[in-house]
Amino acid sequence: MVQSAGEVNNVFIAHSGSGAIAVPHADGLAQQRQKFHFDFLNHTLKQAEWTFRLSVWFMTGGALIILAGGVLALVHAGDPDLSYLPYVTSLTGALITVGGGALALHSKRTMANLTKAAEDNEKKIDIDHKLEVATTFIDRVGDARQKDDLNSAAAMKALDMDAAPEVMVQRLLPEQLKQLGQGDSAS
């Protein structure tokens, strides 16, 4: 078996006596991709959850420190020696709250990226499943030449090398076209 390391990694080419055929990987590439996909999603989801929790803790702590600064301002309102204390406390609370807001923004971005990655990987899983179904149907074809042609067409589709439907029909079903051209009409 020859394994591709490029962008398309879901088709493996095996050489047989009659030519190359596309076959799914023995371990089930779709299952490998799904396992990786769900492991990645779980890790990223945990990261986003903890980032959000930290942001809530920071914002709560910052709000409490700001309130403490307000209480200190009321308690020490007439004391000129401690007039800076409420300002420093409130500023510290504001900075901690802003840090919590930054963590919340980071968590939101992570969740957006997670959603995008999940959608992209879901498309890839669907393509892998379709390829596995196609190769299963192709394996049922009795004619070796037609099986090779269908495997070639499946490989081309997997590699995004789409041909015009007319060209594909001419290449894959030439006998049927000859039969139609000998007196039958398609319309």
Side-chain angles (χ1 to χ4, degrees):
M1 292 230 161
V2 176
Q3 186 172 7
S4 172
E7 179 69 28
V8 176
N9 56 7
N10 60 347
V11 176
F12 296 87
I13 306 298
H15 294 283
S16 65
S18 60
I21 57 172
V23 294
H25 191 265
D27 293 341
L29 186 62
Q31 285 126 359
Q32 288 177 352
R33 186 174 278 152
Q34 284 177 348
K35 182 184 178 324
F36 173 77
H37 173 69
F38 289 118
D39 289 347
F40 174 76
L41 291 178
N42 285 330
H43 174 75
T44 306
L45 183 61
K46 286 178 187 176
Q47 178 187 6
E49 287 173 350
W50 276 103
T51 304
F52 179 74
R53 287 181 188 135
L54 281 174
S55 73
V56 170
W57 293 341
F58 271 66
M59 288 188 286
T60 302
L64 291 174
I65 293 172
I66 290 172
L67 287 175
V71 169
L72 285 173
L74 290 175
V75 170
H76 299 291
D79 191 359
D81 291 336
L82 297 175
S83 62
Y84 67 91
L85 186 62
Y87 297 120
V88 171
T89 305
S90 295
L91 182 62
T92 302
L95 290 174
I96 291 173
T97 303
V98 167
L103 286 173
L105 183 63
H106 177 69
S107 174
K108 183 177 178 180
R109 285 184 190 154
T110 301
M111 289 302 290
N113 291 339
L114 176 63
T115 302
K116 174 78 170 110
E119 290 170 355
D120 290 347
N121 215 4
E122 184 177 357
K123 290 175 186 174
K124 290 177 184 177
I125 289 169
D126 288 342
I127 290 169
D128 287 344
H129 177 70
K130 288 177 184 178
L131 181 63
E132 286 179 9
V133 168
T135 55
T136 300
F137 286 134
I138 291 170
D139 287 341
R140 294 180 183 172
V141 174
D143 182 19
R145 175 159 168 69
Q146 195 169 27
K147 186 184 275 191
D148 284 345
D149 290 343
L150 290 170
N151 278 320
S152 297
M156 286 177 58
K157 181 71 175 169
L159 296 171
D160 287 332
M161 296 172 29
D162 294 327
E166 300 82 25
V167 173
M168 293 298 285
V169 169
Q170 280 181 334
R171 305 278 172 146
L172 296 175
L173 305 170
E175 293 83 24
Q176 286 78 357
L177 281 178
K178 288 177 186 174
Q179 291 172 357
L180 282 175
Q182 294 175 350
D184 295 340
S185 65
S187 53

